[in-house]
Structure formats: C-alpha cells, structure tokens
C-alpha cells in the first residue's frame, strides 16, 4: 500500500479506526511525523488531539539501546532486565534522565505553546505515528501513556514491518496497521511524499486542533452559508479547511445540489481576478455552481517558492475538494489558471480524486509533472492564446503526456491574459461547453 503523503495516510487510518469513535478517545501524535497523520484521525473522529512527547533513556555507552523512557508528568518506565545486563548504575540512570528531561520539557513547550497537556485518566487513547521501523519509540509511548492513566491504549500506524508489528501487538490493547509489507526497509519508501515535518507544522496543527470547538462552530457556520447559497441560488463567502490552513472562498450555487466548478488560482491570479469571475459568471448562467478561492494565504502569496510549490497547491485543492463534497454532493470540476492549472491536474491525478472534468486557461499544466499527467482520468481541455507561443509549446508538451480524453483549443491572436476583444468570451464559452458536456454525460 502506497500513501500519497501523511495527510492521505491519516485519512485512510481514520477509516480503520471508526469503531473507536464511540469510546470518546484522545488522539496522540508522536512528533514530528506522527502529528500530521494524527491530525486527520482526530478530525475524522471529532476527537481531541495532543502530542505525546517521549524520550528514550539510552545506555550511556550504547545510546541506541534503550533501558527505559520518560514522559510528561514525571512518568518513568524502566527495563530492569536491560539495566541489569547493561550494568547501568543508579547514577547513570539519573544522569541520562536529567539530560532527557530537559529536552522533553523543551519539546513539550515548543509544540504546545503554553497549552496544558490533555489528561488521559480513564480514557481510551490512540497513539499514532507515520510508520514504524524498529518500534522502540512507539513501544515507549504506549508504556508512558499507560503510566499516565489511560484505561485503554490503541496503537495505530499506516505501515510497519511484520516483525515489529508482532512485537507491538502485546504492548497495546489494540494494534491497527494498514500495511505490513515483507519487503520493508524504511517507512519513507511507502510514501510518495515523505518530506520532513517541521516543528512549525506540528505547532500549527496542534494549535488548530486545540481550537476544535471553535472550528466545529466555524464548520457549522460554513455549512449554513453553503445552505444559504444553495437555497437562495446566490453567493456566499465560505471558510474552507485545507490541511493546516483555512482559506476564504466565494461559493455560488444557481442549482441546488448541482455540479460545481472549483477555480484553482495560481500566480498572477486570484478569486478576485476579473478574468476568472467573467468565466465563473458564464458558468453560473449555464446553471453550473462555482467556488472561487485562493490556494495560498495572503501571507504566502508574496513567496515565489510557495507560488510554484505545485504539490502543496495540489494537496490544498484536494483538501478543499473533500471539504466541498462534505457540503455539496454533486459532481465537481476544476478550472485552473497559471500555476493553478498544474495544481488542478496534479490533484485530479490523485487516486481518490473523482473529478468529472478539467479546464486549463493559459496555464502551466506541464508543471504538474509528466508522470502524474499520465494518471489524470478526467477529460481535460487546454485553452491557450495563439500569440502566447511559449505557453502554447508547454501546453502541447503537457497534452502529449495526457492519456485521458483531452483537447487543445487555441484562441487566435490572444496573448497570455486574453485581453484581446472577444478572447475571454471564447474562453468562457469553451469552458462552459466542456463542463456541461461532461457533467451531463456522467450517470446521476
């Protein structure tokens, strides 16, 4: 089993943990990589999220050999057998513990930013990591959680080698693992994206989860706004949860529970762009819903590295798509502009995308990556200005990689911004006809 990233692993793991939701569990993520996985589980189970900070106590002359572990609240668990065989004296135990306690306090303060640790007394606790190699840290976490008063301990991970999985089953009341491949050498080989999780990302996820009640209130308000747009056939401003960030969007639903086109905005474009709004208006007149929103926060828009971070843009678009499906069950299409075109195609290539159609306007679909373009299944229309020769060549390269039904439409004499007389009207008409055709082709 291959996971797209930690968020994808978390969503899949959440499905395997649905049966624990009625136990009112507390979710604990092991830093750093376990926290993004745990965040998705906590969201799906509507459970509180915290970090489990554990420090292994290593034999002084062989630090990788742990003789115990410490956790918050003064919890210490020791292996008398390893202490005896390793000839670790009481002074050694105290010295190692003092060193690790200092780091434990530093990490806990850094991750929680002043929030208290969630109490575990009498609770069902789900301990989560992004995967297991040897299992020593996960084992220590289970022991610490038990010592902190947990009534039931569930250890859950996306992937682990069979031998480590067998050892860990006896340390938890329940062990949930989605995949135990025999050909296992490292956790990262089972992820397409296993980039390092930063302290800042952990802090952001924990902060967002800590405001769970406010978020749930916000989600209810957002749902009410979506219902208002649906019932009134008008427009509502909504707040979209996309991973660790919340994005603002404009949702228009001319037909209740009808199809919706999501506008993926990239560099030089935004939900306020008159060009994109002109296209959205044409779609609305044809009875198609639209959601215009920005994939970057205002603080991120000035960072060129983020503007061209197609994978991040695509993940946010995928998260926003799941958000939209939670409120509107109709079919969904993507309209991408500039780097948003690459993000739209990359997100459409994800295995669980289920996107009905994609339109790219003068964008850079080539930035999605040739290998992912071959995985796009949604019918794709590429619209390029005839005078925009560089982008036209890049679109032709992208089209050659597409294996789905596709078409390249060239607007004669149009440049990159389609500001020539009648050019944008042609774009709107082409997009309208493409979406209408493929939305209607699909079974209800």
């Amino acid at each position: 089993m291959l996971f797209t990233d930690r968020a994808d692993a978390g969503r899949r793991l959440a499905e395997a943990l649905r049966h624990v939701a009625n136990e009112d569990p507390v979710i604990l993520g092991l830093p750093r990589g376990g926290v993004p996985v745990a965040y998705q589980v906590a969201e799906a189970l509507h459970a509180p999220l915290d970090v489990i900070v554990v420090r292994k106590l290593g034999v002084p002359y062989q630090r990788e050999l742990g003789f115990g572990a410490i956790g918050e609240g003064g919890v210490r668990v020791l292996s008398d057998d390893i202490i005896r065989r390793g000839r670790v004296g009481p002074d050694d135990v105290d010295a190692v513990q003092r060193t690790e306690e200092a780091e434990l306090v530093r990490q806990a303060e850094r991750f929680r930013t002043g929030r208290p640790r969630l109490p575990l007394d009498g609770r069902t606790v789900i301990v989560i990591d992004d995967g297991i190699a040897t299992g020593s840290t996960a084992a220590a976490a289970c022991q610490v959680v038990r010592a902190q008063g947990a009534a039931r301990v569930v250890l859950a991970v996306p992937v682990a080698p069979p031998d480590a999985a067998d050892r860990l089953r006896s340390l938890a009341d329940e062990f949930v693992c989605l995949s135990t491949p025999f050909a296992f050498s490292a956790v990262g080989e089972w992820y397409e994206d296993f980039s390092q999780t930063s302290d800042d990302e952990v802090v952001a996820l924990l902060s967002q989860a800590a405001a769970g009640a406010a978020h749930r209130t916000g989600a209810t308000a957002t749902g009410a706004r979506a219902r208002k747009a649906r019932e009134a056939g008008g427009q509502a401003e909504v707040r979209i949860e996309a991973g660790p960030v919340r994005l603002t969007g404009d949702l228009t639903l001319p037909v209740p529970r009808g199809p919706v086109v999501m506008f993926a905005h990239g560099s030089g474009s935004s939900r306020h762009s008159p060009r994109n709004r002109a296209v959205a208006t044409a779609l609305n007149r044809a009875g198609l819903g639209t959601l215009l929103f920005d994939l970057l926060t205002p603080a991120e828009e000035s960072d060129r590295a983020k503007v061209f971070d197609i994978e991040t843009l695509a993940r946010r678009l995928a998260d926003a798509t799941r958000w939209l499906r939670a409120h509107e069950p109709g079919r969904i299409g993507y309209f991408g502009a500039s780097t948003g075109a690459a993000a739209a195609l990359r997100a459409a290539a994800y295995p669980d995308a289920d996107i009905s159609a994609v339109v790219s306007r003068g964008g850079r679909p080539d930035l999605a990556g040739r290998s992912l373009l071959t995985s796009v299944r949604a019918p794709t229309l590429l619209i390029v200005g005839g005078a925009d020769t560089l982008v036209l060549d890049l679109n032709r390269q992208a089209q050659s990689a597409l294996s789905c039904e596709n078409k390249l439409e060239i607007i004669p004499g149009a440049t990159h911004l389609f500001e020539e007389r009648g050019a944008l009207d042609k774009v709107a008409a082409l997009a309208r006809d493409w979406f209408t055709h493929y939305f209607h082709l699909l079974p209800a």
Side-chain angles (χ1 to χ4, degrees):
M1 180 180 292
L2 185 65
F3 304 100
T4 303
D5 53 21
R6 291 181 178 87
D8 173 50
R11 287 188 290 269
R12 297 200 214 179
L13 196 59
E15 291 302 315
L17 290 165
R18 290 285 182 189
H19 65 285
V20 190
N22 60 3
E23 298 180 31
D24 190 25
V26 174
I27 313 298
L28 300 182
L30 278 159
R32 299 181 183 84
V35 174
V37 181
Y39 176 84
Q40 297 296 332
V41 175
E43 287 291 289
L45 272 55
H46 303 292
L49 173 69
D50 201 356
V51 65
I52 169 70
V53 183
V54 174
R55 300 295 300 178
K56 287 187 292 185
L57 304 177
V59 174
Y61 58 84
Q62 191 177 352
R63 300 306 294 268
E64 67 275 11
L65 177 61
F67 64 81
I70 58 172
E72 293 174 88
V75 170
R76 183 177 78 173
V77 291
L78 300 176
S79 170
D80 294 334
D81 181 54
I82 294 178
I83 288 174
R84 184 180 62 257
R85 288 191 289 113
R87 297 181 179 179
V88 181
D91 291 342
D92 293 326
V93 172
D94 291 341
V96 172
Q97 181 171 338
R98 282 195 300 271
T99 300
E100 296 301 335
E101 278 178 343
E103 181 60 17
L104 184 145
V105 171
R106 187 199 70 80
Q107 284 191 341
E109 290 179 349
R110 165 68 174 137
F111 293 141
R112 289 208 187 87
T113 60
R115 290 185 304 275
R117 176 172 62 88
L118 291 180
L120 306 181
D121 293 330
R123 301 290 295 272
T124 292
V125 177
I126 305 177
V127 178
I128 294 177
D129 205 354
D130 55 7
I132 284 173
T134 65
S136 59
T137 302
C142 289
Q143 292 174 309
V144 166
V145 166
R146 188 92 66 187
Q148 288 174 339
R152 188 165 112 82
V153 179
V154 179
L155 177 61
V157 294
V159 61
D163 56 343
D166 288 341
R167 289 195 304 272
L168 291 167
R169 292 182 203 282
S170 62
L171 295 178
D173 298 296
E174 183 177 354
F175 178 62
V176 176
C177 183
L178 301 182
S179 178
T180 54
F182 285 98
F184 186 102
S185 60
V187 172
E189 68 181 341
W190 303 101
Y191 286 81
E192 293 179 9
D193 177 6
F194 198 64
S195 52
Q196 185 175 8
T197 302
S198 67
D199 282 0
D200 287 341
E201 183 177 353
V202 172
V203 171
L205 290 172
L206 291 173
S207 296
Q208 187 167 338
H215 286 168
R216 283 190 290 273
T217 301
T220 301
T222 293
R225 294 188 188 104
R227 287 193 297 274
K228 177 182 177 182
R230 184 193 313 131
E231 293 163 1
Q235 185 183 93
E237 186 176 85
V238 294
R239 301 289 185 271
I240 303 163
E241 294 197 13
V245 300
R246 301 187 80 194
L247 307 172
T248 301
D250 296 322
L251 178 64
T252 302
L253 300 172
V255 177
R257 302 189 181 280
V260 178
V261 176
M262 302 179 70
F263 281 65
H265 298 122
S267 60
S269 174
S270 77
R271 67 189 176 104
H272 300 297
S273 163
R275 294 180 296 278
N276 289 328
R277 288 194 171 272
V279 175
T281 298
L283 299 181
N284 296 153
R285 288 172 180 164
L288 304 180
T290 54
L291 175 58
L292 291 91
F293 70 105
D294 301 322
L295 295 171
L296 296 175
T297 65
E300 295 171 328
E301 289 173 355
S302 61
D303 186 341
R304 297 298 290 174
K306 292 187 181 296
V307 168
F308 286 92
D309 184 354
I310 305 302
E311 178 57 28
T312 294
L313 298 179
R315 283 202 303 266
R316 288 187 182 178
L317 178 56
D319 288 337
T321 303
R322 281 183 282 271
W323 173 91
L324 179 61
R325 282 206 172 95
H327 297 286
E328 294 299 317
R331 304 180 186 100
I332 293 176
Y334 288 159
F335 183 95
S338 192
T339 52
L345 285 165
R346 197 175 183 95
Y350 291 161
D352 61 345
D354 192 23
I355 298 303
S356 300
V358 177
V359 173
S360 165
R361 173 189 63 79
R364 291 290 309 277
D366 58 296
L367 294 176
R370 193 173 186 87
S371 60
L372 276 179
L373 286 172
T374 61
S375 300
V376 176
R377 296 179 297 279
T380 299
L381 173 65
L382 308 175
I383 306 175
V384 188
D388 193 8
T389 54
L390 176 59
V391 172
L392 178 55
D393 287 341
L394 294 172
N395 273 256
R396 283 175 172 150
Q397 293 173 26
Q399 185 186 25
S400 69
L402 291 170
S403 57
C404 60
E405 187 169 351
N406 64 83
K407 188 176 183 180
L408 175 62
E409 286 279 5
I410 301 173
I411 309 296
T415 54
H416 185 62
L417 296 179
F418 298 89
E419 293 178 322
E420 294 72 23
R421 183 185 297 272
L424 195 57
D425 291 337
K426 292 178 182 177
V427 170
L430 288 168
R432 178 199 62 210
D433 293 346
W434 190 264
F435 285 122
T436 301
H437 176 70
Y438 286 102
F439 283 149
H440 290 172
L441 270 184
L442 295 172

